[in-house]
């Protein structure tokens, strides 16, 4: 470890040991990258995402309160409905019109259950293929949720719901076609096949199952937006960071802490996921156009080239902005970019500058390339040095 790195770690400790955290100092330090040693990044992200307040004395009580609240969410939205489902219609005398699966009432328990299953199946499909370049999400967590895995609780877990719903889908397909094909309805999406992953022994659960639970509870608590594909790419780096915290006491509560940090982050970017807001001033279309207007101001020649080739920002910037660049770089680089994004008080204005910097840094290739070559460059971004990108974005910010 270099003396400079040791000095940076000491600077972070100096800021974080104060009774009241100096937010601007923390932001200035974090913008240049947060050391992972000693759980510094985990702690800083929790402060920068407004999960932890600036007053250190209140951290213990707030964490205890929020983690207990998350446990209550688990009981209300997974365990109790699972018990109810297991008990519904145990015998024919128990089945009333109100809880019959064919009850057309949109407020019936069964109708809610079926709608939740639609959301759950999409979440399950997405989280199973999270960060395929690393094995982390397929491995067993050191801290499985005891509430969920308690052998005393006989209820339908999310895993069972997915397996049973998928099996029913297979059966329906077989009956309607008259053949005995039991292939998964997801067979064309290789990573999402239920049989593609090693089955963990009883009492264990994979990290992707934890992420699935976080997203399902978020969808239940936020019915206006529920779950939109891509949210898994936002929660993934958060959970990975908290679940690899060297502080075992905090790592144990990675699920709850991720949920609340994800909720706070989504409060800032949720408009990107709401299609009806796409063309509003807070929607994703406006932000994509802002990338081009910034580029026009900073590099007119490159802007005109992209206009001439009719390369619209929707072709690449939609993914860049909506997923906070989580699909453009390897996970460690995404985390480094997020250090700077979370540290900037106008963090999503800074994201626009990062996108603009990404264009300018490959300007020579773009100016020489035709439409096909340039689209390939923009959809498979060639520069891997994220520090170079962030430095260029900071230059653009300072030149305003």
């Amino acid at each position: 470890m270099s003396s400079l790195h040791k000095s940076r770690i000491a600077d972070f400790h100096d800021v974080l040991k104060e009774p009241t955290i100096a937010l601007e100092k923390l932001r200035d330090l974090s913008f240049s990258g947060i050391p992972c040693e000693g759980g510094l990044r985990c702690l800083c992200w929790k402060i920068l995402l407004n999960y932890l307040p600036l007053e250190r004395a209140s951290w213990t009580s707030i964490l205890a309160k929020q983690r207990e609240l998350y446990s209550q969410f688990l009981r209300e939205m997974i365990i109790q409905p699972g018990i109810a489902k297991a008990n519904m219609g145990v015998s024919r005398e128990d089945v009333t019109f109100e809880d019959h699966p064919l009850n057309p009432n949109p407020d019936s328990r069964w109708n809610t259950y079926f709608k939740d299953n639609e959301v759950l199946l999409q979440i399950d499909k997405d989280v199973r293929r999270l960060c395929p370049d690393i094995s982390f999400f397929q491995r067993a967590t050191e801290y499985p949720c005891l509430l969920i895995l308690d052998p005393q609780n006989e209820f339908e877990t999310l895993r069972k719901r997915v397996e049973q719903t998928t099996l029913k889908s297979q059966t329906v397909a077989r009956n309607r076609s008259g053949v005995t094909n039991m292939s998964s309805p997801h067979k064309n999406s290789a990573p999402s096949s239920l049989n593609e992953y090693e089955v963990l022994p009883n009492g264990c659960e994979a990290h992707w199952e934890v992420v699935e639970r976080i997203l399902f509870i978020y969808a239940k608590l936020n019915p206006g937006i529920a779950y939109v594909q891509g949210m898994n790419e936002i929660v993934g780096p958060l959970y990975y960071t908290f679940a690899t915290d060297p502080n075992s006491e905090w790592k144990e509560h990675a699920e709850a802490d991720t949920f609340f940090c994800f909720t706070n982050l989504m409060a800032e970017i949720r408009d990107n996921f709401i299609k009806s807001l796409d063309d509003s001033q807070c929607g994703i279309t406006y932000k994509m156009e802002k990338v081009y207007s910034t580029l026009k101001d900073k590099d007119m020649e490159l802007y005109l080239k992209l206009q001439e080739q009719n390369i619209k920002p929707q072709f690449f910037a939609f993914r860049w902005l909506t997923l906070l660049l989580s699909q453009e770089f390897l996970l460690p680089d995404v985390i480094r970019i997020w250090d700077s994004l979370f540290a900037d008080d106008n963090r999503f204005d800074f994201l626009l500058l990062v996108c603009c910097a990404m264009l300018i840094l490959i300007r020579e290739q773009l100016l020489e390339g035709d439409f096909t070559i340039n689209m390939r460059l923009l959809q498979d971004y060639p520069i891997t040095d994220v520090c170079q990108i962030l430095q260029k974005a900071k230059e653009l910010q300072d030149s305003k």
Side-chain angles (χ1 to χ4, degrees), residues 275-374:
K275 189 172 180 58
S276 61
L277 295 178
D278 279 358
D279 297 321
S280 70
Q281 192 165 347
C282 59
I284 190 64
T285 301
Y286 173 82
K287 293 168 186 172
M288 289 188 292
E289 290 171 351
K290 190 76 180 293
V291 172
Y292 263 26
S293 65
T294 304
L295 179 65
K296 182 179 180 181
D297 181 51
K298 303 296 182 182
D299 192 330
M300 176 64 81
E301 183 183 9
L302 179 55
Y303 168 78
L304 290 175
K305 177 70 173 183
L306 296 178
Q307 290 289 90
E308 175 192 324
Q309 293 185 343
N310 199 29
I311 295 179
K312 301 181 184 300
Q314 289 88 332
F315 298 162
F316 62 94
F318 179 86
R319 187 176 72 186
W320 291 7
L321 293 169
T322 304
L323 303 184
L324 307 185
L325 299 171
S326 61
Q327 291 291 282
E328 313 314 313
F329 304 99
L330 296 176
L331 184 57
D333 295 323
V334 171
I335 289 171
R336 171 61 192 91
I337 291 172
W338 286 17
D339 284 346
S340 296
L341 285 183
F342 296 166
D344 196 278
D345 55 353
N346 296 311
R347 49 177 150 253
F348 301 111
D349 287 340
F350 185 70
L351 177 61
L352 301 178
L353 293 173
V354 172
C355 294
C356 189
M358 289 169 67
L359 295 172
I360 293 172
L361 286 171
I362 57 170
R363 74 183 305 276
E364 299 306 323
Q365 294 133 287
L366 291 171
L367 290 173
E368 293 175 7
D370 59 18
F371 176 86
T372 303
I373 290 172
N374 287 346

Side-chain angles (χ1 to χ4, degrees), residues 10 22 48 85 96 100 111 122 154 205-206 220 265 272 292 311 327 348 386 394:
L48 294 171
K85 167 61 167 58
T96 65
H100 194 283
N111 193 59
Q122 183 60 60
E154 292 188 7
E205 58 180 1
K220 290 285 289 177
L265 181 56
N272 294 346
Y292 263 26
I311 295 179
Q327 291 291 282
F348 301 111
V386 296
K394 188 69 170 70

Side-chain angles (χ1 to χ4, degrees), residues 140-158:
T141 172
E142 296 175 57
Y143 300 99
C145 181
L146 299 181
L147 273 176
I148 297 295
L149 298 179
D150 185 350
Q152 300 301 316
N153 288 333
E154 292 188 7
F155 71 96
E156 186 183 53
T157 62
L158 294 188

Side-chain angles (χ1 to χ4, degrees), residues 8-138:
R8 279 187 54 74
I9 292 175
D11 289 342
F12 273 93
H13 283 303
D14 287 343
V15 171
L16 292 170
K17 73 182 181 183
E18 293 295 324
T20 300
I21 307 299
L23 184 58
E24 288 308 312
K25 286 184 180 178
L26 182 63
R27 281 178 169 159
D28 288 343
L29 283 172
S30 301
F31 189 85
S32 299
I34 306 170
C36 58
E37 288 86 356
L40 283 174
R41 175 174 282 126
C42 305
L43 176 55
C44 290
W45 278 19
K46 287 167 185 172
I47 297 170
L48 294 171
L49 289 172
N50 302 312
Y51 178 44
L52 287 178
L54 300 180
E55 294 73 28
R56 280 177 53 91
S58 60
W59 288 358
T60 301
S61 61
I62 285 176
L63 287 172
K65 178 182 176 183
Q66 294 298 88
R67 290 163 179 172
E68 175 53 37
L69 177 60
Y70 186 76
S71 295
Q72 188 61 32
F73 291 156
L74 291 177
R75 295 185 190 98
E76 292 178 3
M77 296 174 204
I78 295 180
I79 296 176
Q80 290 175 7
I83 293 173
K85 167 61 167 58
N87 293 335
M88 270 197 278
V90 171
S91 63
R92 294 193 61 85
E93 308 87 69
D94 294 329
V95 180
T96 65
F97 177 75
E98 285 71 24
D99 62 17
H100 194 283
L102 299 182
N103 180 2
N105 184 346
D107 296 324
S108 73
R109 284 188 295 173
W110 274 105
N111 193 59
T112 299
Y113 178 84
F114 290 143
K115 285 184 176 179
D116 287 349
N117 271 5
E118 292 176 13
V119 174
L120 177 59
L121 285 177
Q122 183 60 60
I123 293 173
D124 185 80
K125 177 181 176 182
D126 292 343
V127 298
R128 285 173 180 266
R129 58 190 180 199
L130 192 59
C131 297
D133 51 311
I134 61 173
S135 63
F136 171 80
F137 287 96
Q138 312 309 325

